[in-house]
Amino acid sequence: MARAVAALCVSVLLLPAIASAAAPTGPTYDEKGNLVRTAFAPAHEQARLTEARATRVFLRTEKVADWVGRYPKSSLVTDATFDSHYRDWTVGVWSGDAGEVASGRVSDLTGLVTEAWTGPQVAWAMARGGGFGGKEINSKPVWLAFCAVFLLGLADLRRPLALRNLDLLALLSFTASLWYFNEGRIFTSVPLVYPPLLYLLGRAAWVGIRGRPALASRPVWPVWLLAALTVFLAGFRIGLDIHSPSVTDVGYSGVIGAQRIAHGEAPYGHMPVEDGRKACGPPDREGRVVDRIQTNGRCEGADQQGDTYGPVTYQSYLPGYWALGWKGKGDRLHAARFTTILFDVLCMLGLALVGFRYGRARLAVTLAFAWTAYPFTQYVASANTNDALQPAFLIFGFWLAGAAAGRGIFLALSSWTKFVPLLLVPLWATFPEVSRRRVRAPVVFGAAFAAATLVAFWVLLLEPDLLHAARVFWDRTLGWQIGRESPFSLWDWRQYHAGLPDLHVLQNVLTGLLVVGALGVAFVPRRKSPLQLAALTAAVLIGFELVLTHWIYFYLPWFFPFIAFAVLAPAGEPVPADAPAEASDPTRGELVPAG
């Protein structure tokens, strides 16, 4: 009897705790997005801190005080809201035209600041640090191992002061900027990008105008060893990607676009949205419900700006979607990983073909090794972005440089991924020579470019009103990108009104120079070798990245294959682009190692 009474007492005492633990703290949904269970609403708890006290604690934080101190005190407006569920205060600071300049959270239980975001970190989660691509690629041992293999495998070890070694160090020096970016120090990371970009622009322009690669000593490593390392690194990269939990929003957008195309819709204007849609998932920390029932009846996470890319981007994800599908909410996006791996391998194979075309086995292995060992190409792969698509098409276009139709088709496919290669049309259309005698090649190039463009834009024909579809396409892509704001370059920092200069005028001047340069390289030099085509291609792409408002490390692989060809091709004159590879003779100008 005594034991029964004791058990009853214990049950009574533990019942509230058990009920509290079992009760859901948020709404529960099944796999189809249907509401299964509503949230348990705890009784309102009185805050320990006052609004004024929470605000003072937040403003006294060194990081916040330093940034907010840049603004006149008379312009500052603060607000603090208590959340009884999380037992903390959300504090915001506003200043005139600059908008919200600081935000964060203060624990009501401890009185400590748990989050503090200032400047660009307020609106941009990617400015808060942490990096992309998962822990593996962002770990120091893995990243530095890639850097070491890249440098030791390609450097001229017999001549430490060789220009080739400086080129390789410049390509790796973006690591310093990335390190600060991963710590959320945007105003330090961004300026560090421009010195190596300017150096590489100068090198590419120099090689492109002069047409002479840097002298190289005899290779240190045998071809078979570099080939073995390339195969090992390729497998290692695929393993990193498979085990990476990271798929960025652009990879997600590609899969959505492929699903829309596969079901008879153009991606433009049909991305998942939040407004006016029924919730099919729980709210996040800020109360935002991302998962919504879309017009197709599927529960999908919102991706309202996911249709900002060219049609070839979404078409490139079709094989992955057909093979692995995408079910919407809860899907692990294997289709995105499939596409990433596919185009990463295509870049390796394409560079091997380019190298063999212009320098036989050694250059083929060297270029493929360069792609697999370069840490920033792996950064793209681990984050599962779409930034390997554009260079993959360009690489194959360069491989077929001697055929005007091949250049035109692949340049068009590349252009209708992220639009940047459109700047290369004058250069590639007039290769290898501008003269009255060679008017047929540009005509063939233009016809091939136009034909590939029509094939790329067939997705707009899925819409009943073609004129409306074209207008939506412009508004959602280039129309939106032209006016885009971003803190990830020097050009748009004036928006923070924190004593930072307005560089928009300089940006516009440099943009004009870029356009002039993109047109000018079509005529100067008048006749170009494949080496010069690669170098000038790199120069135009680097020039675009220099004036770009929204820049990120994923864009480095856009120009990497061409700057790699320009600085790694050994001394010698390349074979003519219109000469068949089989007929080339190393003794008459093919790219072969000196000595």
Side-chain angles (χ1 to χ4, degrees):
M1 184 67 178
R3 291 182 179 179
V5 173
L8 180 61
C9 292
V10 171
S11 300
V12 171
L13 292 174
L14 293 179
L15 184 59
I18 294 174
S20 176
T25 58
T28 304
Y29 299 84
D30 61 18
E31 293 184 354
K32 296 183 179 180
N34 298 316
L35 183 64
V36 176
R37 186 168 52 185
T38 58
F40 169 74
H44 177 74
E45 297 185 39
Q46 186 69 30
R48 297 184 180 183
L49 301 178
T50 64
E51 178 180 350
R53 173 61 178 165
T55 302
R56 283 197 301 269
V57 170
F58 180 71
L59 292 176
R60 287 174 183 173
T61 305
E62 181 178 358
K63 174 183 178 180
V64 177
D66 178 67
W67 182 256
V68 172
R70 298 168 178 258
Y71 300 91
K73 288 185 177 181
S74 59
S75 70
L76 297 178
V77 177
T78 62
D79 177 73
T81 305
F82 176 66
D83 190 319
S84 60
H85 177 73
Y86 292 99
R87 298 293 301 173
D88 64 10
W89 291 82
T90 299
V91 184
V93 184
W94 289 262
S95 176
D97 295 336
E100 191 172 13
V101 298
S103 68
R105 294 190 174 92
V106 178
S107 171
D108 186 65
L109 299 176
T110 64
L112 299 176
V113 176
T114 57
E115 291 182 3
W117 311 124
T118 59
Q121 295 176 337
V122 175
W124 293 82
M126 61 187 289
R128 299 174 183 178
F132 294 95
K135 294 181 180 179
E136 290 84 0
I137 189 60
N138 286 292
S139 67
K140 290 182 180 180
V142 173
W143 187 274
L144 294 179
F146 269 101
C147 292
V149 172
F150 178 80
L151 185 61
L152 294 176
L154 298 173
D156 189 344
L157 300 179
R158 293 186 176 89
R159 297 186 301 158
L161 299 181
L163 193 58
R164 172 176 176 146
N165 297 340
L166 183 59
D167 297 334
L168 297 175
L169 289 173
L171 286 167
L172 292 175
S173 66
F174 296 99
T175 296
S177 173
L178 178 64
W179 235 252
Y180 287 108
F181 174 81
N182 286 344
E183 294 181 358
R185 299 173 62 179
I186 303 303
F187 291 109
T188 302
S189 68
V190 169
L192 291 175
V193 168
Y194 292 94
L197 281 180
L198 287 169
Y199 171 82
L200 294 172
L201 174 63
R203 283 289 287 132
W206 179 256
V207 174
I209 299 299
R210 296 187 68 218
R212 297 178 183 177
L215 294 174
S217 61
R218 289 187 64 85
V220 175
W221 312 113
V223 172
W224 67 265
L225 179 57
L226 275 184
L229 281 173
T230 301
V231 173
F232 171 79
L233 286 172
F236 183 70
R237 290 164 67 96
I238 292 173
L240 279 181
D241 185 48
I242 292 174
H243 290 91
S244 172
S246 175
V247 176
T248 59
D249 56 347
V250 296
Y252 178 53
S253 300
V255 176
I256 299 173
Q259 190 274 338
R260 297 300 193 259
I261 293 172
H263 287 78
E265 280 187 324
Y268 308 103
H270 296 107
M271 285 287 164
V273 297
E274 294 181 45
D275 298 339
R277 301 287 187 267
K278 177 184 176 182
C280 57
D284 60 16
R285 179 66 174 84
E286 284 74 29
R288 177 189 174 195
V289 179
V290 177
D291 297 316
R292 302 276 181 168
I293 301 295
Q294 303 302 316
T295 54
N296 56 14
R298 292 162 52 95
C299 180
E300 300 173 347
D303 188 29
Q304 302 190 146
Q305 293 296 336
D307 52 355
T308 188
Y309 307 111
V312 176
T313 295
Y314 307 105
Q315 293 164 6
S316 299
Y317 281 82
L318 280 171
Y321 174 75
W322 286 330
L324 300 170
W326 173 60
K327 63 182 180 181
K329 182 178 182 290
D331 192 274
R332 296 190 61 190
L333 293 172
H334 293 304
R337 291 183 172 85
F338 177 95
T339 306
T340 296
I341 295 172
L342 173 63
F343 277 87
D344 192 47
V345 172
L346 286 175
C347 286
M348 299 177 205
L349 293 177
L351 283 171
L353 291 172
V354 165
F356 192 80
R357 169 69 179 83
Y358 299 115
R360 292 297 183 262
R362 175 160 294 281
L363 186 58
V365 172
T366 297
L367 293 178
F369 173 83
W371 179 274
T372 56
Y374 190 48
F376 287 97
T377 60
Q378 180 56 45
Y379 193 59
V380 167
S382 291
N384 289 284
T385 76
N386 56 17
D387 292 285
L389 276 60
Q390 178 175 296
F393 291 119
L394 280 181
I395 289 169
F396 281 93
F398 181 63
W399 175 51
L400 299 174
R407 291 198 314 273
I409 290 171
F410 280 100
L411 182 60
L413 294 176
S414 182
S415 297
W416 302 124
T417 56
K418 289 196 169 185
F419 310 110
V420 181
L422 289 171
L423 288 169
L424 298 173
V425 170
L427 172 63
W428 282 44
T430 56
F431 177 80
E433 184 180 3
V434 179
S435 68
R436 294 180 180 179
R437 295 181 296 104
R438 299 182 67 95
V439 295
R440 179 175 175 271
V443 173
V444 174
F445 171 90
F449 187 96
T453 297
L454 291 175
V455 172
F457 277 88
W458 71 268
V459 296
L460 295 187
L461 299 177
L462 297 173
E463 299 297 304
D465 186 342
L466 183 59
L467 182 61
H468 174 73
R471 185 164 53 248
V472 171
F473 168 78
W474 170 263
D475 292 340
R476 303 295 297 176
T477 57
L478 290 170
W480 178 76
Q481 292 188 34
I482 290 173
R484 188 178 187 181
E485 295 183 346
S486 173
F488 303 109
S489 71
L490 296 173
W491 312 118
D492 208 23
W493 281 2
R494 182 66 180 89
Q495 63 177 300
Y496 298 106
H497 299 271
L500 299 170
D502 187 350
L503 299 177
H504 284 112
V505 173
L506 177 60
Q507 182 188 22
N508 292 334
V509 171
L510 294 177
T511 301
L513 292 176
L514 170 65
V515 174
V516 172
L519 294 172
V521 293
F523 304 98
V524 180
R526 184 180 63 84
R527 180 168 177 81
K528 304 173 186 67
S529 67
L531 176 70
Q532 290 172 296
L533 177 64
L536 294 174
T537 295
V540 172
L541 295 176
I542 294 170
F544 176 81
E545 295 195 23
L546 279 167
V547 302
L548 190 60
T549 299
H550 181 76
W551 187 91
I552 195 66
Y553 306 91
F554 300 136
Y555 301 164
L556 294 175
W558 292 2
F559 65 79
F560 175 75
F562 302 97
I563 193 68
F565 186 92
V567 303
L568 296 178
E573 290 296 326
V575 295
D578 49 1
E582 295 78 5
S584 59
D585 183 354
T587 64
R588 291 187 296 171
E590 188 178 11
L591 283 171
V592 293

